[in-house]
Amino acid sequence: MMFANKIVWITGASSGIGEALVKTFAKENAKIILSARKTAELERVQKENKLTDENSMILPFDLENTSNANELAEQIIKKFGGIDILINNGGFSQRSEASETELATSRNLMEVNFFAPVALTKAVLPYMLKQQSGQVVVMSSIAGKFGFYLRSSYSAAKHALHGYFESFRLETEKKGIKTLIVCPGKIKTEISLNAVGPKGKAHNKMDESHVNAMSADDCAAEIMQALTQNKEEVLIGGKEIKAVWLKNHFPKRFGKVIRKQKPE
Ligand SMILES: NC(=O)c1ccc[n+]([C@@H]2O[C@H](COP(=O)([O-])OP(=O)(O)OC[C@H]3O[C@@H](n4cnc5c(N)ncnc54)[C@H](OP(=O)(O)O)[C@@H]3O)[C@@H](O)[C@H]2O)c1
């Protein structure tokens, strides 16, 4: 019970990996703040995990607009007195070629997947610095390690997380703050259904490669392990994550392999 009574803020808690993380932290008796847009789904997750209003809090908001991030953090402090772990998990993907994707869609992908984690992290940081401890988790992707068909802006946002949070880690680790960057490969969630097309409308199709992918529960278990081991970065998924190793060691071979993949 390493996380008993730890105060954990999870974005994207209404579905997929975020929901699985709520389940895992609930079993650890953590105090959990559940955030996403769909309040009814957050309440479902709260109820299914037998969380109460004493040990959890529903804090709905849209990651598109984090101008009130400081107020959100204040609400958590008011209720629980601190924030030990922030999990920047909420986000969405893309299924459209760069040439057809409207600039507004690209900006939105950057806003939710990159600027929102930055804003929330900046909002909790003063409290973590005061406590001289805290863990920031950032949900990147293998798309944060290399570009892929139909993912130009999503991949750009995930790459940006690495640049920002690797710098952030260097600047804050001596002050007690740990930063974990998680790079999932294919995880069986609604990510491809919720991905957006060129004009920002939902793609609404399940990728074939996601049907038999790793479960969100297994992904959450690996994230917990990485947290307990104080890892800086972790790759999670099936054989697709080997592509990162291939790119690092054999970039030419990687170039050939990646071009042969199905664009979905
Ligand atoms: N599944 C994969 O294969 C995979 C691979 C690599 C990385 N990831 C990353 O893992 C994270 C979780 O994705 P998932 O696979 O669990 O997908 P998911 O099932 O679609 O869940 C996405 C979560 O993010 C929330 N969200 C999306 N847009 C939001 C917004 N504008 N404001 C607030 N919340 C928002 C959704 O809640 P509401 O709709 O209720 O707002 C939902 O809870 C994402 O950052 C994704 O990029 C996933």
Side-chain angles (χ1 to χ4, degrees):
M1 287 287 175
M2 195 175 163
F3 298 99
N5 291 319
K6 292 283 180 204
I7 301 147
V8 187
W9 187 6
I10 304 174
T11 68
S14 63
S15 144
I17 299 170
E19 177 175 350
L21 282 167
V22 173
K23 205 194 288 183
T24 315
F25 276 106
K27 283 188 194 143
E28 289 272 330
N29 291 336
K31 292 182 174 153
I32 307 172
I33 300 96
L34 298 87
S35 289
R37 289 165 300 184
K38 298 187 195 98
T39 307
E41 284 303 298
L42 292 174
E43 285 169 352
R44 173 189 61 77
V45 175
Q46 184 187 40
K47 202 170 153 203
E48 283 179 11
N49 289 288
K50 299 188 172 51
L51 292 164
T52 64
D53 285 338
E54 262 176 33
N55 61 15
S56 68
M57 177 181 185
I58 303 277
L59 193 61
F61 67 96
D62 193 332
L63 290 164
E64 246 180 80
N65 179 8
T66 47
S67 59
N68 63 341
N70 290 345
E71 288 156 39
L72 295 169
E74 272 165 31
Q75 284 184 53
I76 297 170
I77 298 298
K78 207 169 158 199
K79 178 160 174 137
F80 293 117
I83 300 174
D84 296 304
I85 305 176
L86 166 65
I87 306 189
N88 284 301
N89 165 74
F92 70 104
S93 190
Q94 175 191 10
R95 295 292 182 275
S96 59
E97 289 200 359
S99 61
E100 58 176 359
T101 303
E102 291 186 354
L103 194 56
T105 304
S106 297
R107 286 193 195 279
N108 197 233
L109 279 153
M110 287 300 292
E111 190 61 49
V112 172
N113 291 303
F114 173 67
F115 285 110
V118 170
L120 298 187
T121 302
K122 282 172 73 72
V124 304
L125 187 59
Y127 304 103
M128 289 185 171
L129 289 174
K130 208 168 155 197
Q131 316 170 157
Q132 296 181 341
S133 70
Q135 280 183 307
V136 175
V137 180
V138 188
M139 201 61 64
S140 175
S141 165
I142 50 168
K145 292 289 189 179
F146 55 83
F148 192 60
Y149 297 111
L150 310 179
R151 305 281 199 286
S152 51
S153 301
Y154 175 72
S155 180
K158 295 298 191 186
H159 273 76
L161 289 173
H162 288 259
Y164 187 94
F165 283 96
E166 282 168 16
S167 305
F168 174 85
R169 180 192 290 125
L170 291 176
E171 291 165 4
T172 57
E173 63 190 355
K174 287 192 188 72
K175 297 167 188 162
I177 316 297
K178 293 169 187 149
T179 302
L180 167 65
I181 304 179
V182 181
C183 306
K186 307 259 180 205
I187 311 297
K188 194 176 174 184
T189 68
E190 303 203 333
I191 188 91
S192 65
L193 296 170
N194 297 328
V196 295
K199 294 181 194 302
K201 296 242 165 65
H203 176 65
N204 258 327
K205 262 188 242 158
M206 183 62 126
D207 286 352
E208 268 175 44
S209 56
H210 274 96
V211 177
N212 296 313
M214 176 187 268
S215 73
D217 286 342
D218 286 349
C219 178
E222 291 202 25
I223 294 170
M224 294 299 273
Q225 199 178 23
L227 269 171
T228 53
Q229 293 172 349
N230 288 324
K231 287 201 174 160
E232 294 190 354
E233 191 171 300
V234 63
L235 282 163
I236 302 174
K239 64 179 184 343
E240 69 281 0
I241 62 175
K242 289 186 183 149
V244 178
W245 178 88
L246 193 64
K247 187 186 177 191
N248 289 340
H249 293 88
F250 300 99
K252 275 194 176 169
R253 176 96 189 100
F254 167 82
K256 284 183 187 156
V257 171
I258 205 73
R259 282 176 175 82
K260 285 188 193 147
Q261 302 307 303
K262 188 176 170 194
E264 66 156 25

